[in-house]
Amino acid sequence: NILDQIARASSFDSMAPSMVQQIDEALHPTFVEVLRHTPGEQSFAQVATTLPASVALPSSLTAIGVLSALRKPLALSLGDTAWVRHQLPIEERALLLGRGIELLVPVFPENGGEQPIALVVLGPRRSEEPYNNDDLDFLTTMAQGLGILIGRSSIDTRGMAECGRCGRCFDGGAELCTVDGSPLTRVHGSRLLNGRYRLERRLGRG
């Protein structure tokens, strides 16, 4: 259950590889990756992928503006949005097709937002069949989950949560332990020490 996984996840970065794996197993694309945009940066950078290596996508792409307007998955070759490909600048069309991108799924913050904050990017299905409505609904649910996680990680970067059973530490927005499912307790203080070290588990109390 995706919602259960989201509730247990400690962060966007920790959940993205699992979502990539689930999409790969369910839809069998030639590749799937999750890219995230950091405010102030000029591109969407790879967080998780089935590819050996990944190249960032510029955030200035016309396709990103189209996603902001459509607010739904954008198919570039097949489906009811394939017409968009012919409206893109030639160099942008060459970039997307050269990378084998068939589907762009926007991830928006939970509270809305005008621009995507992340992308789920897929190649064509290995069966060469188009993505159907059930596939797009599945991907939209995944994208909504990622949006929730990004929002959670930005709610409170100062606090943290702790599992009373196993002692593992999580970011402040997490609610359930990913190991045993126990409810977490909010703890004062930061999980990040000296801007470098992250607390992973409490070994004892002094």
Side-chain angles (χ1 to χ4, degrees):
N1 184 296
I2 296 173
L3 295 179
D4 286 345
Q5 294 178 53
I6 293 169
R8 293 171 180 268
S10 59
S11 67
F12 171 87
D13 289 354
S14 67
M15 186 65 185
S18 173
M19 286 198 168
V20 162
Q21 181 180 357
Q22 291 180 64
I23 292 171
D24 185 52
E25 293 174 351
L27 303 183
H28 308 291
T30 54
F31 72 88
V32 56
E33 55 187 350
V34 173
L35 309 175
R36 181 175 180 178
H37 180 254
T38 301
E41 297 294 329
Q42 303 295 317
S43 61
F44 285 81
Q46 178 258 322
V47 178
T49 182
T50 58
L51 292 170
S54 178
V55 180
L57 278 179
S59 57
S60 58
L61 290 177
T62 302
I64 304 300
V66 174
L67 287 169
S68 300
L70 291 178
R71 306 189 76 81
K72 68 175 186 178
L74 172 63
L76 296 175
S77 298
L78 302 169
D80 63 355
T81 60
W83 60 270
V84 171
R85 181 182 66 175
H86 303 289
Q87 310 300 317
L88 299 176
I90 295 176
E91 63 276 9
E92 185 170 322
R93 195 185 319 165
L95 169 67
L96 296 173
L97 294 181
R99 289 187 55 179
I101 295 173
E102 166 57 24
L103 195 64
L104 294 165
V105 184
V107 176
F108 292 96
E110 189 177 10
N111 62 356
E114 296 182 1
Q115 300 288 329
I117 51 177
L119 300 171
V120 181
V121 181
L122 294 88
R125 298 183 72 164
R126 290 193 283 270
S127 65
E128 299 185 355
E129 297 178 357
Y131 293 99
N132 59 38
N133 288 334
D134 288 340
D135 299 333
L136 298 181
D137 288 343
F138 169 70
L139 291 167
T140 299
T141 299
M142 287 285 195
Q144 290 171 345
L146 290 173
I148 291 172
L149 285 173
I150 292 177
R152 177 191 299 167
S153 64
S154 64
I155 289 174
D156 186 359
T157 58
R158 296 169 301 172
M160 69 176 182
E162 180 184 288
C163 176
R165 180 176 295 178
C166 71
R168 294 186 183 275
C169 301
F170 300 86
D171 293 334
E175 297 179 358
L176 297 175
C177 177
T178 58
V179 177
D180 56 37
S182 299
L184 301 177
T185 302
R186 288 293 300 273
V187 180
H188 292 296
S190 174
R191 191 182 174 195
L192 192 66
L193 299 179
N194 298 327
R196 297 180 58 189
Y197 306 104
R198 287 172 63 86
L199 295 175
E200 296 295 336
R201 187 173 185 178
R202 173 178 54 79
L203 299 180
R205 292 185 185 277

